[in-house]
Amino acid sequence: MILPIHGEAAETDLTVYAWILNSRQLDLGLMQQDLGLTISDLEGSIDRLCAVGLVVRPDDDPATGFAVDPAVAIAKLTSPIEARLREEERRILTIRDALDRFTPHYLEKSSSSHGLEILGNVNEVRAALNREAARCSHEMISCQPGGGSRKPEAMSEAMQRDTTLLERGVSIRTLYHHTARFNGPSQAYVAVASALGAQYRTVHELFGRLIIFDRDVAFIPVQDQSWGAVILREPSTVTYLCNVFEEAWERGTPFVDAASQGLEQVSREIHETIVRLLAEGHKDETIARRLGMSLRTARRHIADIMEQLNATSRFQAGVAAAAHRLVKAPAAKQGNCPDADAASVLPRPLRERQGRGEVPEGA
């Protein structure tokens, strides 16, 4: 509804309304004399004021009339609108009540088939892992950062679970940090499981902990770094995580027998990575986490490298690393740089240390 009182005419209507309110009549002659308006303007204003209920003019005597309280006029105009709004609100509530009954069924289906499940403690996680392992029919892939160090009871339970899977013909592939090669329990675990058909590879940096069964159900850590886990079943998310694993797997170094599989080369890669991360300005905690070693071990190797580079600060270490060409350029990874093997220009004491097999510990 568009009110007739608007624009420039509104000022005239205010003047006329005030005159009628005080005079309690509609004598156009007196009104014209007092207000100085034309008869046409006065008649138009009175018609508009009557239309919105601000002026009442009896049918039997057009010359008389009186002004009405604006609150009364507002109520008269808005009451029908408010009634319609109340009716629409009732319709909205009816629709919500009718359809909300279906919501629990949808949420139940969504959470059980395509959503996620959060497990708050290690016992729930172990139970869920055992349940999914029992259902697994063809493949389990996992990423275990941190140098392979795990609690003995957890490793024992994992070995029993993995052995059962392998005996059923399930394929198992696992990624570790390079530091797992120097961790005794991890060496033993890998040796036994590899003999049963499992495959293991190591890399110097990993993306995080991950276990996936049959490319259908994925376990990832909870954000608060506790022993809880999140179970993911949404197909696109699980597929994405599988692709991340495969890219890391392609870059990995096979790991079956630590004693015969290139410890010197792996140690060299670890030291190269520490030098690169130092040159990039990373903190000790970041370096330790990315290499899967304890903070104490990382700091010991950082101190050793800084000593070999005659550096008293990380900034100096970065400068010295660049001067000795210890930080690989991007092209070096593709074999396009004659200085691609950064270890070939390591300071002699550091090369001798690597040659003796003095290698990093696990976390």
Side-chain angles (χ1 to χ4, degrees), residues 78-233:
T78 59
S79 292
I81 299 174
E82 292 174 344
R84 290 196 298 271
L85 288 176
R86 287 192 293 270
E87 178 60 29
E88 292 300 319
E89 288 176 350
R90 284 193 292 269
R91 291 182 60 191
I92 291 173
L93 291 175
T94 300
I95 292 172
R96 285 179 175 171
D97 290 342
L99 299 187
D100 273 349
R101 296 179 299 146
F102 296 86
T103 300
H105 297 278
Y106 176 82
L107 294 177
E108 181 181 358
K109 176 64 176 177
S110 177
S111 62
S112 62
S113 301
H114 300 292
L116 56 85
E117 180 182 355
I118 300 178
L119 306 177
N121 59 70
V122 66
N123 291 328
E124 290 182 331
V125 174
R126 287 179 177 175
L129 285 172
N130 291 333
R131 181 183 67 244
E132 296 302 332
R135 297 173 179 173
C136 184
S137 61
H138 64 275
E139 179 189 49
M140 183 187 80
I141 56 179
S142 64
C143 177
Q144 300 287 353
S149 291
R150 286 181 286 177
K151 293 182 178 180
E153 60 269 23
M155 295 190 73
S156 176
E157 184 173 348
M159 175 57 72
Q160 183 178 1
R161 184 171 59 239
D162 292 353
T163 299
T164 301
L165 287 169
L166 292 167
E167 289 175 348
R168 294 208 315 263
V170 174
S171 166
I172 293 180
R173 289 184 294 155
T174 301
L175 280 169
Y176 285 129
H177 271 118
H178 277 333
T179 48
R181 294 173 180 269
F182 315 114
N183 179 275
S186 295
Q187 294 173 358
Y189 189 100
V190 168
V192 172
S194 295
L196 297 175
Q199 299 179 63
Y200 297 87
R201 292 187 182 183
T202 63
V203 294
H204 60 282
E205 292 185 74
L206 281 175
F207 49 86
R209 195 171 303 278
L210 172 69
I211 301 176
I212 303 178
F213 295 95
D214 286 341
R215 297 181 176 261
D216 183 53
V217 180
F219 287 71
I220 62 174
V222 293
Q223 188 177 15
D224 61 8
Q225 304 299 316
S226 69
W227 287 101
V230 178
I231 303 178
L232 301 171
R233 293 184 175 86

Side-chain angles (χ1 to χ4, degrees), residues 351-362:
R351 294 204 309 272
E352 291 175 349
R353 184 177 183 277
Q354 291 181 346
R356 292 195 301 268
E358 298 177 16
V359 293
E361 301 175 0

Side-chain angles (χ1 to χ4, degrees), residues 238-292:
V238 175
T239 298
Y240 177 84
L241 293 173
C242 289
N243 292 338
V244 171
F245 174 89
E246 294 296 348
E247 290 182 6
W249 180 263
E250 289 300 319
R251 297 192 303 269
T253 302
F255 177 26
V256 177
D257 181 3
S260 63
Q261 289 192 312
L263 289 183
E264 181 178 351
Q265 177 184 350
V266 169
S267 177
R268 184 169 61 247
E269 288 185 17
I270 292 173
H271 278 275
E272 290 171 5
T273 304
I274 291 176
V275 171
R276 175 174 59 81
L277 295 176
L278 279 175
E280 292 174 0
H282 292 286
K283 295 181 179 180
D284 296 355
E285 292 81 358
T286 301
I287 294 174
R289 184 180 67 254
R290 291 176 63 167
L291 293 180

